[in-house]
Amino acid sequence: QVQLVESGGGLVQAGGSLRLSCVVSGITFSVYGMNWYRQAPGKQRELVAAITSAETTNYTDSVKGRFTIFRDNAKSTVYLQMNSLKPEDTAVYYCHTVSRFTTRPYWGQGTQVTVSS
């Protein structure tokens, strides 16, 4: 059974930092690409950052230079370091991957990030 469990969300003032973690089980973590999505109230879910198994990374334009995605294969964990947070970063953040065999998506339960102005 594949499980993705996020943690690290919370309330922070604008300009502050948070680090999100996503612990993954049920797959061979090191060979999977991992993604962080977010969904703000009334908006569609959007891809924020992605990391491949080779640790190539990509970011949506609005977070470039502020967010960093990285992984620790020994801990089966993917992280999202968020610096210089803005109120518009407020959203529920989700960890995500896709089965290499069936293309079925797997999602975590989400963690709330709230940035106050």
Side-chain angles (χ1 to χ4, degrees), residues 61-75:
D61 286 346
S62 62
V63 308
K64 284 181 181 177
R66 301 188 298 120
F67 290 12
T68 303
I69 187 172
F70 60 102
R71 63 192 298 158
D72 184 339
N73 290 337
K75 295 182 178 179

Side-chain angles (χ1 to χ4, degrees), residues 50-63:
I51 185 167
T52 69
S53 58
E55 302 199 14
T56 300
T57 59
N58 278 290
Y59 301 91
T60 191
D61 286 346
S62 62
V63 308

Side-chain angles (χ1 to χ4, degrees), residues 67-87:
F67 290 12
T68 303
I69 187 172
F70 60 102
R71 63 192 298 158
D72 184 339
N73 290 337
K75 295 182 178 179
S76 296
T77 301
V78 60
Y79 303 92
L80 186 66
Q81 178 67 43
M82 306 186 294
N83 299 330
S84 301
L85 282 161
K86 303 176 180 180

